[in-house]
Each structure stands twice: as structure tokens, then as C-alpha cells.
Amino acid sequence: MDKTTVKVTRSILKGAPEPTLRRLPLYYRLLKQLRETTGRTGISCTVIGSELKLDATQVRKDIEMTGTVGRPKVGYEINELISAIERFLGWDKITEAFLVGAGNLGEALMGYPGFTDCGLSIVAAFDVDPNKCHRVIHGKHVRHISKLTGLMRRMRVQFGIITVPGEHAQQAADLLVEGGAMAIWNFAPVKIHVPENVIVTNEDLYCSLAVLSQKMTRRLAETRSKGAVKS
Amino acid sequence: MDKTTVKVTRSILKGAPEPTLRRLPLYYRLLKQLRETTGRTGISCTVIGSELKLDATQVRKDIEMTGTVGRPKVGYEINELISAIERFLGWDKITEAFLVGAGNLGEALMGYPGFTDCGLSIVAAFDVDPNKCHRVIHGKHVRHISKLTGLMRRMRVQFGIITVPGEHAQQAADLLVEGGAMAIWNFAPVKIHVPENVIVTNEDLYCSLAVLSQKMTRRLAETRSKGAVKS
DNA sequence: AACTAATAGAGAATTTATTCTCGATATTTA
DNA sequence: TAAATATCGAGAATAAATTCTCTATTAGTT
């Protein structure tokens, strides 16, 4: 068993570091785009790095996690790399999802292009508001929330997306858990409590905003002091 | 100049580490909630940590960045801590923003509760589609995109939010830059190119999805092998 | 007033992530 | 064919983030 195998095995056992996981989609998108727009079949870390303004070694280590091997002087096969990323992230298999909260955000997600590439298929949406129910948005039915648990069990859907207002997020989570959810993608800006075996990822806008806000604040402080402070 | 002062100064000069910045809003939310629902005035890192399932020392170091000092055996003043976080992130000052793309996602953001707490005020939205213009959503006017640059300069708005489909994101960014944007919050899943002095933060759903997808994939692999593989 | 328990704060130790360096290899060019 | 060059892959070095350990301080308790 060579070194690469060891690393790949570890990546499967312990999972890739989160920073790596968050960069893989960037490579994925770039690769797909290159495949579409240009005719090239190979790519090197150097090029990927300069396109995305990342260190080439970092790109190489990330790619290593997916198990793809390259060739000196040439780089990687674009097609092979794309497949490897899909396989590594589980984007090669279809995951069906229920969405709770058919408001604007929910509707936006239902029409989100490219989720298909990630194997994510939102099969139905649910809402408490009867006015929002019985509609069809982007080809998906919106049903009353009371139907969620039953349908979820029956259809064996294991993935839930929460796009309800914060104050109802916990209820939504409870229903999804009752329906047998294995994972929940929570867009509400609240911490939801679920059993330990349920995976939760929060999409918290305020966390990103904080990063941006502080950068702006520091930039403003710099310009105010006429560039005296260098970072 | 004591040690704390040194650290705070550094946090102003170099900025806090991103992981810290992303955790501060979690504390902020918890503190606000505690202030509203309970009558307590003080809080310790231990409590914050156990509430949010974070290490107490980590919480303490994060708080240290904001310049707040606590008292042994007691902890921190909730009010003081809230203000310190607001000040540190720049959430104590109002930032006016223009939003480009009045689709579902844009509409969702316009109605997002709590942006006010972060000092973020979306003052107007813009769209190419004439059908979407001249409406008022959540009290904000939607205007035609052709008006963006002029209005932005006139009103001295320096913050832009992009919620257009990926294929138009670059155009939107160009307009915002032309209008004098200092910072852009990009919700389109594409890399936008802007001058170096413009701050960009991407809200890329695919990056989060990648983290979640891989966790699910690994979980499925574990259960398939009947728990033989432990992480 | 002494004792106990809880906590902040400082600094060390550890872990994790990123970047650098070098050798091996494949491709292209002279 | 030989030389030059770009790249991967491995490992070392560095940097960043997290966690641990200890001390001093404060509030409550006996």
C-alpha cells in the first residue's frame, strides 16, 4: 500500500479537513467550466491555483485527498478529476430532500440551478401556510407541513432543508427528525437541537456578514487614518 | 500597556482570525436571547461554551479579541459584551446597501430579520427585468438596473449585494464597482473579478453543501459496513 | 475570618493547516 | 539524443488555531 493509498484511506476514515472540502467545489466548478468552454483535457495545479488565487501546493494536497493521481509535467485529466471530486463528495449519487418553508428563500433554493450536479434533488416542499400549499414551484409540489413526517418515512427521504423563519426552525427540525432525517441543512439563523446521530450544517448569513463587516470596518479605519496603518 | 491592550491592538491591526469572526455572531445571538428571555446580567465562558458546544477557552480567547474584560468567578457583563461585539464587527454603525437581483433570493434578503441588528440596511434593489421594477418589497423600492450606478454615487452607498443568477454576476459586480462599491457580498455561485481595493465575500452554497455531502457519504459508508469503521 | 469553588487570563503544548524545498518524472525543444 | 522545463509527490518547515495547565482573583459559604 503506497503513500497515496494511505492518505486516501485516511481521508475516507477521518474525512477531509473542512477547508479542503470547502475548496473542492471551487475546483469542480472551474473544471466543469473549462471542459465546456475550452477543449482542453488536462490541467495542472499551477493553473488551477492561479485561476482561483490559491497556492498550487494547497490545490495539489486537496486533489490528493480525492485520490486522483497526476502526471509530472502534464497535470491531471480534467474528466477524471471531475469524477473523483463527485465521488469523493458523494455528488455522484442522488440524494432526495424535503424542504420546509416555502417562502422566498425556499423558493429560491427550489429553483437553484446546479443542485442536480451535486446530486441534490429537492422532491417536495412543505409549509404551514395553507395559502402556500398545493402550488407547484419549479415542478415541485408544496404540501402542508402536517403531511411531512408521513411522506418522509414512506418515501424514505433522509435529507431535510430548513428555510422557515428562525422562530419555527426547531419545530421544523423536530418534524424532520421524526420523519427519519439523517442530515439537515439549516438556513434559519438559530441553533437547532437534534439527536446526536443527525448531521446538521448551518448556513448562517450572519457569520459571513461578520467577516465582511470587520473587513469593512478595518478598511474604513485605515482610510480614516490616511493609510498610516498598514495591514 | 498591558497584555490585553496588546492583543486588542493586534486584532485591530491584523484583524481577528476568520474562525473567531465566524463565532462571534453565535455568541452575539445567544447573549441577546439571554438578555431578552432571562433576567441575567452576567455570563461566563463556561456557560457560553456549553450552550454552543464550544471549548470554554476558545470562547474566552474570542471574547478577548473584542476587548471585553471579565471578572473571575463572575464572567462578563452581558450588555457590555454585546456592545463590544457590535463595536468590534462594526455593527454599531449603519451600513447602507444596494441589492442587485430582485428575484426570490433578493426578496428573501430584503425581508431578512435582524440585518438591522448588524447595522445593515438595504436601501434599494435593482433588476434588469422591467416587470420586477417599480415594486416596493418590504418597504424598499425596486428600480431598473440602469439607475444603479448613478444613484449609488449620489447616495454614497458603498456596499453591494449580488443576488442575480451566476451568468450575470460579473456584470452586476462591474456596475457596483462603477458605482463606488467598497465591499460586495456575492450570493452567485461564480467567482467575480473586481479591483484589488474592493472587498468581496462569497456566500457559496456549494461549499457548505460539500461539507454536508461528505459527512453524509461517510455516515452512509459507516452504516453500510455495520459500524465496523469508527471515526 | 478562613475556606471552598468558579472563573478569567496568561502562556505552554498540541494539533491542524499552509507553504516551502527537493527529487523524480514526463514532455518538449535544440 | 541530450538538454531544458514544467509538474507531481513527498516530506520538512512554518504558521495558525485549538486545547491544556497553571495562577490569581473574586464571590459565596462555613
Side-chain angles (χ1 to χ4, degrees):
Chain A
M1 197 156 87
D2 67 340
K3 294 287 176 52
T4 305
T5 314
V6 171
K7 281 200 185 168
V8 173
T9 306
R10 176 174 315 149
S11 79
I12 291 165
L13 291 179
K14 305 198 4 177
E18 193 166 316
T20 293
L21 290 173
R22 300 190 75 91
R23 281 188 299 265
L24 287 175
L26 307 181
Y27 309 152
Y28 183 72
R29 202 144 62 211
L30 176 67
L31 294 167
K32 282 228 162 177
Q33 192 202 313
L34 284 175
R35 188 168 63 176
E36 247 90 284
T37 61
T38 73
R40 60 192 304 174
T41 57
I43 185 108
S44 74
C45 293
T46 321
V47 175
I48 296 178
S50 71
E51 282 293 322
L52 302 175
K53 303 221 171 98
L54 295 171
D55 184 87
T57 310
Q58 186 171 63
V59 175
R60 194 171 300 125
K61 292 233 192 278
D62 288 341
I63 288 175
E64 200 170 29
M65 294 297 281
T66 70
T68 315
V69 291
R71 280 163 49 203
K73 176 84 182 186
V74 183
Y76 305 88
E77 276 290 327
I78 290 186
N79 284 329
E80 194 185 330
L81 198 40
I82 289 176
S83 310
I85 294 175
E86 282 175 344
R87 210 172 330 110
F88 186 66
L89 295 175
W91 287 1
D92 57 337
K93 297 185 197 69
I94 288 181
T95 306
E96 297 195 320
F98 272 4
L99 184 143
V100 194
N104 280 310
L105 181 55
E107 207 167 309
L109 292 184
M110 281 190 261
Y112 219 69
F115 273 165
T116 326
D117 285 342
C118 313
L120 180 62
S121 168
I122 300 175
V123 290
F126 297 84
D127 208 292
V128 259
D129 184 353
N131 295 323
K132 289 196 181 140
C133 300
H134 309 300
R135 287 185 305 159
V136 177
I137 301 175
H138 294 111
K140 287 129 195 174
H141 283 274
V142 181
R143 303 188 190 285
H144 192 261
I145 189 95
S146 56
K147 305 267 193 294
L148 191 150
T149 310
L151 257 179
M152 201 166 172
R153 290 211 167 275
R154 191 133 48 82
M155 294 173 71
R156 294 184 203 287
V157 171
Q158 298 197 86
F159 187 31
I161 303 175
I162 297 178
T163 49
V164 300
E167 55 271 31
H168 302 122
Q170 186 58 55
Q171 289 165 260
D174 292 343
L175 289 173
L176 288 169
V177 169
E178 205 189 319
M182 180 178 76
I184 293 175
W185 196 3
N186 176 34
F187 283 78
V190 279
K191 193 176 154 46
I192 56 174
H193 301 268
V194 296
E196 228 181 45
N197 60 330
V198 177
I199 303 163
V200 177
T201 293
N202 297 298
E203 195 71 39
D204 193 330
L205 297 191
Y206 297 100
C207 297
S208 315
L209 183 58
V211 179
L212 189 50
S213 297
Q214 224 235 3
K215 280 187 193 164
M216 283 180 75
T217 304
R218 299 199 325 109
R219 173 67 55 85
L220 286 171
E222 274 174 40
T223 50
R224 216 178 297 118
S225 61
K226 293 247 171 74
V229 176
K230 303 234 162 145
S231 66
Chain B
M1 196 153 90
D2 67 341
K3 294 287 175 50
T4 305
T5 314
V6 172
K7 282 199 185 168
V8 172
T9 306
R10 177 175 314 151
S11 79
I12 291 165
L13 291 179
K14 304 198 6 177
E18 193 167 316
T20 294
L21 290 173
R22 298 189 75 92
R23 282 188 298 264
L24 287 175
L26 307 181
Y27 308 152
Y28 183 73
R29 203 145 59 212
L30 175 66
L31 294 168
K32 282 228 163 179
Q33 191 202 315
L34 283 174
R35 187 168 64 176
E36 247 90 283
T37 60
T38 74
R40 59 191 305 174
T41 57
I43 186 110
S44 73
C45 293
T46 321
V47 175
I48 296 178
S50 72
E51 282 293 323
L52 301 175
K53 303 222 171 100
L54 296 170
D55 183 86
T57 308
Q58 186 171 63
V59 175
R60 194 171 298 126
K61 293 231 191 280
D62 288 342
I63 288 176
E64 200 171 26
M65 295 296 281
T66 69
T68 315
V69 290
R71 281 165 47 206
K73 177 82 183 188
V74 183
Y76 305 88
E77 276 290 325
I78 290 185
N79 285 328
E80 195 185 328
L81 198 41
I82 289 176
S83 310
I85 294 174
E86 282 175 345
R87 212 172 329 112
F88 186 67
L89 295 175
W91 288 1
D92 57 337
K93 297 185 198 69
I94 289 182
T95 306
E96 297 195 319
F98 272 5
L99 184 144
V100 193
N104 280 311
L105 181 54
E107 207 167 309
L109 292 184
M110 282 190 261
Y112 220 67
F115 273 165
T116 326
D117 284 342
C118 313
L120 181 62
S121 167
I122 300 175
V123 290
F126 298 84
D127 207 292
V128 259
D129 184 351
N131 296 323
K132 287 194 182 143
C133 300
H134 309 299
R135 288 185 305 159
V136 177
I137 301 174
H138 296 109
K140 288 128 194 175
H141 283 275
V142 181
R143 302 186 190 286
H144 192 260
I145 190 96
S146 56
K147 304 268 194 291
L148 191 150
T149 310
L151 257 179
M152 201 167 171
R153 291 210 167 276
R154 191 133 48 81
M155 295 174 70
R156 293 184 202 288
V157 171
Q158 299 197 87
F159 187 31
I161 303 174
I162 297 178
T163 50
V164 300
E167 54 271 32
H168 302 121
Q170 186 58 54
Q171 290 166 259
D174 293 343
L175 289 173
L176 288 169
V177 169
E178 206 189 318
M182 181 178 76
I184 293 175
W185 197 3
N186 176 33
F187 283 77
V190 278
K191 193 176 154 46
I192 56 174
H193 300 269
V194 296
E196 228 180 45
N197 59 328
V198 178
I199 303 163
V200 176
T201 293
N202 297 299
E203 195 71 40
D204 194 330
L205 296 190
Y206 297 100
C207 297
S208 315
L209 183 57
V211 179
L212 189 51
S213 298
Q214 222 234 3
K215 281 187 194 164
M216 284 181 74
T217 304
R218 299 197 326 108
R219 173 68 53 86
L220 285 171
E222 274 174 41
T223 49
R224 215 177 300 119
S225 62
K226 293 245 172 74
V229 176
K230 302 235 164 146
S231 66

